[in-house]
């Protein structure tokens, strides 16, 4: 992508938007320009444990902007217990450790990852390799991002944890538009334009975003594009149906580890087209959703060596095409104090992959296949009022898995007991996560894949949440996780190598000091019992502050400490755990409301990542850039 072209397109689009929305803006500016009552919490919006034991952390749209987040790893890196991998200003080289997310040691980076990513409830992953790719799940138009920290079979089947993105939607009558452009070192340019509206029962949203960077080293270019479209209809006050379309088109290069020859070919290109048809219902007695999704995706990975880590392997292409589709639904029926839950998930993933030798165009390796899984759910919970304004809520449920592959059926139970009184919530929960191997197991391990079993993660948590009036929110939990039938790569192929257990705790505090100042601090501790676990540092800590200095000037800062950890290198000749040193990073952002300078709405921003210019890395041999300053402008119309 040419940065000058993108700047020109953005300028033209903003001019057009100003003409279209100037009348509406002049009528509503007094309302929209009102002082903010409370400055939103930095780093993350809130933590929550539902009555059925689902432990989640949500990062809202304001937090995404204040973190200067360009993708999921930068958006979630400040959540204790969540670790990430990245080594470029933008772009996640999907063929290596260029971009991935890990929750309590379970991650998205290896084939068949245990963490799933969802967009409006639709899973986003390569149907052949069964793992998410960061660049096909952009956050540009996300309204909020929710992280499921424990297994939640009642919400997210076939996974140990999840990241669920809710996209922008106009919910009140009227129209809005905005455009943004950000520039930084290494010719890094990020920009997006979007517009949405609601007229009567119809709502719409559309946007286009792009990014370009030459990277911090030679052969480190990235070009990213994504398109978002939503059209929704209110069938009644309780029923809504919407069509959502998202397209991504990305090209990212790998600079190679420091000290090695600079790659010639290594580039990872992805294209996806995702279609979602979603129905939502919300009434006093019933609530829930049903959706159908279809995704057409492709990877075009040009490689210096067809076999990763084997220097004598010939150059060529590793090309993958997949088609994923499925149905997801979940509904609650409330009968006085009793709530009945029912759900049905059915999905089919598959496609083909082939390695093509550049010299003679011969297909030296490849396979194709498709697995489908049927997974119904049933659950219930009962709210029992007690003395002293306490409410006791026991909950339990069960999901059943049946797959068309050679793997056995499985059961995933969950149970929880919560006690709540006004601002205090206590809870005890248990849940099992099930994760099935995908068709990659059939293709890469023809001699062992039929002996594989589904991986299982059992997690028990005990914790509390306390709202100190409007002054603060405190939460803490301890947990024990045990993984059975963990799948690992050997010379013979993939096998279920054994069991691993982890004890840990997580704490968080939001302090609303004044209407203009909020503070956040959180930490996590993890102790694997048997052996070192990839991407599970013993300690992670983050903190942040958000301060409205004046009516027009806003300052945000955040910091992060990650203890030393191990990383699973899938690209070495013999996949192994390698150590990553600990690091401390400080970031800051200053924003000036455009109303201080003109009649326009929006802001001028200056953000600095890694203020102290520390040397650090998320993966050995791939150092992160030093201090990165980002200057940007955003203009809004409504």
């Amino acid at each position: 992508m040419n940065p000058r072209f993108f700047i020109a397109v953005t300028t033209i689009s903003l001019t057009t938007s100003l003409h279209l929305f100037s009348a509406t803006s002049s009528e509503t500016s007094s309302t929209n320009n009102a002082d903010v009552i409370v400055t939103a919490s930095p780093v993350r919006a809130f933590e929550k444990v539902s009555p059925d034991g689902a432990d989640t952390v949500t990062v809202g749209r304001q937090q995404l902007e204040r973190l200067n987040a360009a993708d999921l790893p930068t958006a979630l890196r400040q959540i204790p217990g969540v670790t990430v991998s990245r080594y470029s200003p933008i772009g996640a080289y999907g063929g290596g450790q260029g971009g991935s997310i890990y929750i309590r040691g379970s991650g998205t980076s290896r084939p068949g990852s245990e963490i799933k990513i969802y967009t409006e409830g639709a899973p986003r992953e390569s149907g052949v390799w069964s793992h998410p790719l960061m660049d096909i799940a952009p956050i540009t138009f996300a309204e909020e991002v929710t992280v499921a920290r424990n297994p939640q079979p009642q919400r997210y089947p076939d996974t140990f944890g999840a990241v669920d993105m809710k996209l922008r939607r106009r919910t009140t009558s009227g129209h809005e538009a905005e455009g943004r452009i950000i520039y930084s070192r290494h010719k890094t340019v990020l920009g997006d334009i979007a517009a949405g509206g609601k007229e009567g029962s119809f709502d719409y949203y559309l946007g286009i975003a792009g990014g370009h960077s030459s990277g911090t080293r030679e052969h480190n270019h990235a070009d990213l594009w994504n398109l978002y479209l939503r059209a929704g209809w209110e069938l009644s006050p309780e029923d809504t149906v919407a069509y959502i379309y998202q397209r991504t088109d990305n090209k990212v290069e790998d600079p190679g580890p420091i000290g090695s020859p600079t790659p010639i070919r290594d580039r990872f290109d992805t294209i996806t087209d995702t279609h979602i048809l979603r129905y939502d219902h919300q009434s006093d007695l019933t609530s829930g959703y049903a959706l159908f999704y279809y995704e057409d995706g492709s990877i075009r990975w040009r490689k210096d060596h067809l076999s990763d880590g084997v220097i004598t392997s010939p150059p060529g292409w590793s090309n993958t095409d997949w088609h994923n589709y499925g149905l997801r639904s979940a509904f609650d029926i409330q009968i006085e104090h009793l709530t009945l839950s029912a759900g049905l998930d059915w999905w089919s993933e598959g496609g083909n992959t082939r390695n093509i030798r550049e010299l003679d165009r011969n297909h030296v390796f490849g396979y194709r296949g498709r697995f489908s899984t049927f997974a119904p759910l049933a659950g219930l919970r009962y709210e029992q009022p007690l003395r002293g304004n306490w409410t006791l809520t026991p909950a339990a449920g069960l999901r059943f898995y049946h797959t068309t592959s050679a793997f056995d059926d499985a059961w995933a139970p969950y149970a929880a007991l919560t006690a709540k009184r006004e601002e205090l919530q206590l809870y005890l929960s248990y849940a099992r996560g099930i994760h099935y191997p995908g068709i990659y197991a059939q293709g890469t391990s023809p001699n062992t894949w039929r002996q594989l079993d589904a991986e299982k993660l059992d997690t028990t948590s005990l914790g509390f949440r306390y709202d100190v009036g409007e002054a603060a929110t405190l939460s803490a939990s301890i947990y024990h996780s045990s993984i059975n039938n963990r799948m690992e790569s050997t010379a013979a192929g993939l096998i279920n190598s054994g069991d691993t257990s982890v004890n840990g705790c997580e704490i968080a505090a939001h302090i609303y000091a004044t209407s203009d100042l909020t503070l956040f601090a959180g930490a996590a501790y993890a102790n694997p019992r048997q052996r070192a676990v990839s991407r599970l540092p013993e300690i992670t800590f983050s903190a942040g502050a958000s301060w409205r200095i004046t009516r027009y000037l806003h300052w945000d800062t955040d910091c992060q400490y990650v203890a030393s950890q191990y990383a699973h290198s899938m690209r070495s000749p013999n996949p192994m755990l390698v150590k990553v040193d600990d690091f401390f990073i400080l970031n800051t952002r200053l924003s000036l409301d455009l109303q201080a300078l003109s009649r326009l709405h929006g802001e001028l921003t200056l953000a600095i990542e890694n203020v102290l210019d520390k040397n650090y890395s998320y993966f050995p041999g791939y150092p992160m850039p030093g201090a990165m300053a980002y200057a940007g402008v955003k203009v809004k119309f409504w």
Side-chain angles (χ1 to χ4, degrees):
M1 180 194 68
N2 188 318
R4 295 179 180 176
F5 172 75
F6 188 83
I7 294 171
V9 171
T10 303
T11 303
I12 295 171
S13 300
L14 290 177
T15 304
T16 305
S17 298
L18 177 62
H19 174 73
L20 292 173
F21 290 91
S22 58
T24 307
S25 176
S26 62
E27 293 173 1
T28 61
S29 60
S30 60
T31 301
N32 287 287
N33 197 37
D35 288 346
V36 178
I37 302 301
V38 178
T39 297
S41 181
V43 179
R44 58 172 112 171
F46 57 86
E47 299 80 23
K48 178 182 178 182
V49 175
S50 66
D52 58 7
D55 181 1
T56 58
V57 177
T58 296
V59 179
R61 185 171 168 182
Q62 289 191 20
Q63 284 78 23
L64 294 175
E65 292 183 356
R66 291 175 180 178
L67 290 169
N68 202 46
D71 52 21
L72 277 173
T74 53
L76 304 180
R77 70 186 188 274
Q78 298 286 27
I79 298 178
V82 175
T83 54
V84 306
S85 177
R86 54 189 287 253
Y87 51 66
S88 299
I90 66 169
Y93 185 77
Q97 303 281 338
S100 46
I101 296 167
Y102 309 85
I103 303 173
R104 296 175 178 175
S106 298
T108 63
S109 68
R110 67 183 178 84
S113 79
E114 316 98 332
I115 301 298
K116 289 188 182 296
I117 294 175
Y118 296 82
T119 298
E120 287 289 348
R124 307 296 306 278
E125 63 183 29
S126 165
V128 174
W129 299 105
S130 298
H131 69 100
L133 301 168
M134 297 300 103
D135 290 337
I136 72 171
I139 64 167
T140 311
F141 304 112
E143 186 65 31
E144 62 182 31
V145 180
T146 297
V147 178
R149 295 194 289 189
N150 63 335
Q152 297 176 18
Q154 65 271 46
R155 286 169 173 76
Y156 308 111
D158 194 33
T159 185
F160 294 168
V163 178
D164 199 352
M165 281 185 284
K166 181 179 179 182
L167 301 180
R168 296 183 194 176
R169 172 193 175 192
R170 176 84 183 193
T171 58
T172 58
S173 295
H175 302 272
E176 63 185 60
E178 71 173 47
R180 180 186 60 160
I181 191 162
I182 298 172
Y183 183 80
S184 186
R185 293 169 56 201
H186 310 297
K187 300 179 182 178
T188 301
V189 182
L190 295 166
D192 57 82
I193 52 177
K198 187 175 188 301
E199 288 288 346
S201 60
F202 173 72
D203 70 89
Y204 72 92
Y205 222 100
L206 56 93
I208 185 170
H212 169 83
S213 178
S214 63
T216 59
R217 294 192 281 141
E218 187 180 354
H219 197 77
N220 195 197
H221 285 76
D223 287 286
L224 313 176
W225 285 96
N226 79 87
L227 172 69
Y228 165 53
L229 170 66
R230 172 193 165 90
W233 296 266
E234 290 182 354
L235 306 179
S236 72
E238 295 85 20
D239 302 284
T240 302
V241 64
Y243 167 72
I244 299 162
Y245 169 72
Q246 195 164 40
R247 178 178 176 85
T248 67
D249 189 345
N250 311 294
K251 297 176 175 60
V252 182
E253 294 176 340
D254 177 23
I258 289 287
S260 298
T262 300
I264 299 173
R265 300 167 182 82
D266 289 351
R267 196 179 80 179
F268 200 84
D269 300 352
T270 56
I271 296 178
T272 61
D273 290 283
T274 306
H275 307 264
I276 305 169
L277 185 61
R278 178 170 177 135
Y279 165 76
D280 286 273
H281 174 81
Q282 184 71 46
S283 66
D284 293 337
L285 297 179
T286 59
S287 61
Y289 74 93
L291 65 85
F292 170 79
Y293 67 89
Y294 173 81
E295 179 170 276
D296 177 14
S298 67
I299 297 170
R300 295 297 180 263
W301 185 7
R302 194 177 185 195
K303 306 173 70 174
D304 280 359
H305 307 287
L306 281 175
S307 296
D308 293 344
V310 181
I311 200 69
T312 57
S313 168
W317 296 267
S318 179
N319 295 341
T320 300
D321 294 279
W322 72 87
H323 303 279
N324 298 342
Y325 47 86
L327 296 167
R328 303 194 66 215
S329 64
F331 286 89
D332 286 346
I333 303 174
Q334 188 167 348
I335 307 172
E336 295 183 347
H337 299 295
L338 177 66
T339 300
L340 303 176
S341 300
L344 175 62
D345 284 61
W346 171 83
W347 64 92
S348 180
E349 295 184 343
N352 69 86
T353 187
R354 60 272 183 204
N355 281 5
I356 305 168
R357 191 164 53 208
E358 185 179 277
L359 177 64
D360 52 15
R361 300 300 195 270
N362 277 346
H363 289 213
V364 297
F365 169 78
Y367 63 88
R368 65 174 61 243
R370 177 166 294 277
F371 288 164
S372 299
T373 305
F374 176 80
L377 167 78
L380 56 84
R381 62 181 181 270
Y382 187 83
E383 295 184 359
Q384 177 61 55
L386 302 175
R387 293 180 179 179
N389 294 325
W390 283 95
T391 299
L392 187 68
T393 306
L398 187 67
R399 187 179 287 275
F400 172 71
Y401 294 89
H402 173 72
T403 177
T404 61
S405 66
F407 309 121
D408 293 336
D409 296 343
W411 298 87
Y414 69 91
L417 182 65
T418 62
K420 189 172 183 180
R421 177 187 177 183
E422 297 176 347
E423 292 89 4
L424 177 62
Q425 179 191 27
L426 309 174
Y427 64 89
L428 172 66
S429 68
Y430 161 81
R432 169 174 291 176
I434 296 292
H435 174 240
Y436 277 104
I439 65 166
Y440 64 89
Q442 176 181 315
T444 61
S445 305
N447 298 323
T448 62
W449 79 277
R450 291 185 180 274
Q451 285 76 50
L452 291 173
D453 293 318
E455 296 177 302
K456 298 178 182 179
L457 173 65
D458 293 281
T459 297
T460 302
S461 302
L462 174 67
F464 76 91
R465 174 189 168 99
Y466 182 48
D467 295 319
V468 189
E470 297 181 355
T473 298
L474 308 175
S475 61
S477 66
I478 58 175
Y479 68 88
H480 172 77
S481 292
S482 178
I483 298 179
N484 303 110
N485 300 326
R486 192 174 185 93
M487 189 174 58
E488 292 187 356
S489 177
T490 69
L494 293 169
I495 63 171
N496 296 116
S497 63
D499 306 333
T500 300
S501 63
V502 177
N503 295 322
C505 64
E506 294 162 346
I507 59 175
H510 299 260
I511 301 174
Y512 306 98
T514 69
S515 61
D516 297 321
L517 175 65
T518 62
L519 307 170
F520 167 82
Y525 169 79
N527 179 25
R529 304 301 297 172
Q530 278 81 16
R531 56 180 176 170
V533 176
S534 178
R535 298 297 180 179
L536 190 65
E538 184 178 35
I539 296 173
T540 58
F541 170 82
S542 66
S546 186
W547 181 25
R548 188 178 59 168
I549 302 173
T550 70
R551 177 179 178 180
Y552 299 111
L553 191 62
H554 202 121
W555 175 66
D556 296 280
T557 188
D558 62 83
C559 65
Q560 176 191 32
Y561 171 75
V562 179
S564 61
Q565 60 183 306
Y566 290 91
H568 193 196
S569 174
M570 295 295 294
R571 307 190 70 194
S572 60
N574 298 302
M576 57 184 293
L577 288 176
V578 290
K579 191 173 183 180
V580 181
D581 292 335
D582 65 336
F583 60 84
F584 174 82
I585 299 300
L586 177 67
N587 311 299
T588 191
R589 181 178 185 267
L590 194 66
S591 61
L592 176 67
D593 194 322
L594 287 179
Q595 289 281 291
L597 306 173
S598 68
R599 298 180 60 184
L600 292 174
H601 296 278
E603 61 182 4
L604 297 172
T605 60
L606 175 63
I608 304 177
E609 183 178 328
N610 190 9
V611 173
L612 303 178
D613 200 24
K614 294 287 188 177
N615 295 320
Y616 74 106
S617 64
Y618 292 99
F619 192 73
Y622 288 86
M624 287 294 294
M628 289 281 291
Y630 295 83
V633 58
K634 180 172 71 173
V635 182
K636 302 173 65 175
F637 309 98
W638 55 80

